[in-house]
Amino acid sequence: MSKRIYIDLLHKLEVDHELQGSQRTTAREVLGLTLYILAQGGSIRLAKERFQHSTETISRYFSKGLTSLLLLSAEVIKPMDPQFREIPAEIRCDARYMPFFKDCVGAIDGTHVDARIPVEDQVRYIGRHGTTTQNVMAVCDFNMCFTFSLAGWEGTAHDSRIFARVLGDNRLNFPHPPQGTQIKIIIII
C-alpha cells in the first residue's frame, strides 16, 4: 500500500468510522498494526514484538481497527445502483445472453479460506481437505465489483445454507432487487 493511500484510508477511518488511538497509541499505529496482522497473516504475538505493546493492548486495538474497517466495508461493498434499474451492457448488447440473463444482477459464489480457529471449535471448521477453513460468500456485479460479502461461516457449511440465511436476515444488508421483481436463481455448475 502506498503512503498516500494509507494516509487517505487513515483519514477516512478517523473522520467517518470512529478510528482513534489513546494517550499512548495513535490512530495511525492502530491502523498500522491492524493491517499488519491482516496482510501478513500475523498473530497478536508477532504484532506485540513488532509494535512493542502488550498482548492485551495489541488485541484491544486490533479489535478497534477491525471494527472501523468493517464499518468502511459496509459503505464500499454495495451495488452501484441499489435499485438495479439498468440491465448491464454485457447482457443488453449480447443477443446470446439477453433473453436468459436480462434480470440478472450479478454472480454469487462461495470459497473457502484458511482460518485460525480456537481448538474447541475446530471440528465444525474442518473442510473437505482436512484443514480449518471459513466459507466466504461473495457477490459480484458485471463490472467485477463486489456488491456483498459474508465471512465467518464454518468450513462444513454448504453454500445454499449460507445463501438461505443471508436472504432471511435483513441485518446483513444483502442487495435485494426492488419489490415486485421476480427473483430467478440460475445455478451453473
Side-chain angles (χ1 to χ4, degrees), residues 7 16 29 36 38 40 50 57 67 71-72 82 93 101 113 128 132 134 140 144 168 181-182 186 188:
I7 298 299
D16 296 339
E29 189 175 18
Y36 173 79
L38 292 173
Q40 302 296 323
R50 172 89 175 179
T57 299
T67 299
L71 290 171
L72 175 65
C93 298
F101 296 102
V113 294
R128 65 179 185 257
T132 54
Q134 286 186 353
C140 290
M144 299 305 290
T181 303
Q182 182 180 7
I186 299 171
I188 300 173

Side-chain angles (χ1 to χ4, degrees), residues 94-112:
D94 194 328
R96 295 173 300 166
Y97 301 132
M98 184 57 179
F100 307 105
F101 296 102
K102 66 180 173 65
D103 295 324
C104 188
V105 296
I108 300 173
D109 199 5
T111 188
H112 290 261

Side-chain angles (χ1 to χ4, degrees), residues 13-84:
L13 292 175
E14 284 179 313
V15 171
D16 296 339
H17 301 292
E18 304 168 7
L19 180 68
Q20 50 189 296
S22 67
Q23 291 177 342
R24 297 182 58 220
T25 307
T26 64
R28 179 179 288 196
E29 189 175 18
V30 172
L31 179 59
L33 72 87
T34 302
L35 293 177
Y36 173 79
I37 292 170
L38 292 173
Q40 302 296 323
S43 64
I44 299 290
R45 185 178 44 190
L46 289 174
K48 172 186 167 183
E49 292 299 318
R50 172 89 175 179
F51 291 90
Q52 296 295 301
H53 289 294
S54 70
T55 304
E56 189 271 331
T57 299
I58 296 292
S59 181
R60 183 176 58 231
Y61 285 113
F62 175 67
S63 179
K64 287 183 178 190
L66 199 55
T67 299
S68 291
L69 288 172
L70 285 171
L71 290 171
L72 175 65
S73 74
E75 180 182 312
V76 174
I77 302 175
K78 64 181 182 181
M80 297 274 206
D81 175 16
Q83 295 300 314
F84 303 107

Side-chain angles (χ1 to χ4, degrees), residues 124-143:
R124 294 179 316 161
Y125 288 85
I126 296 176
R128 65 179 185 257
H129 297 292
T131 60
T132 54
T133 63
Q134 286 186 353
N135 196 338
V136 178
M137 186 180 93
V139 180
C140 290
D141 63 15
F142 290 96
N143 294 321

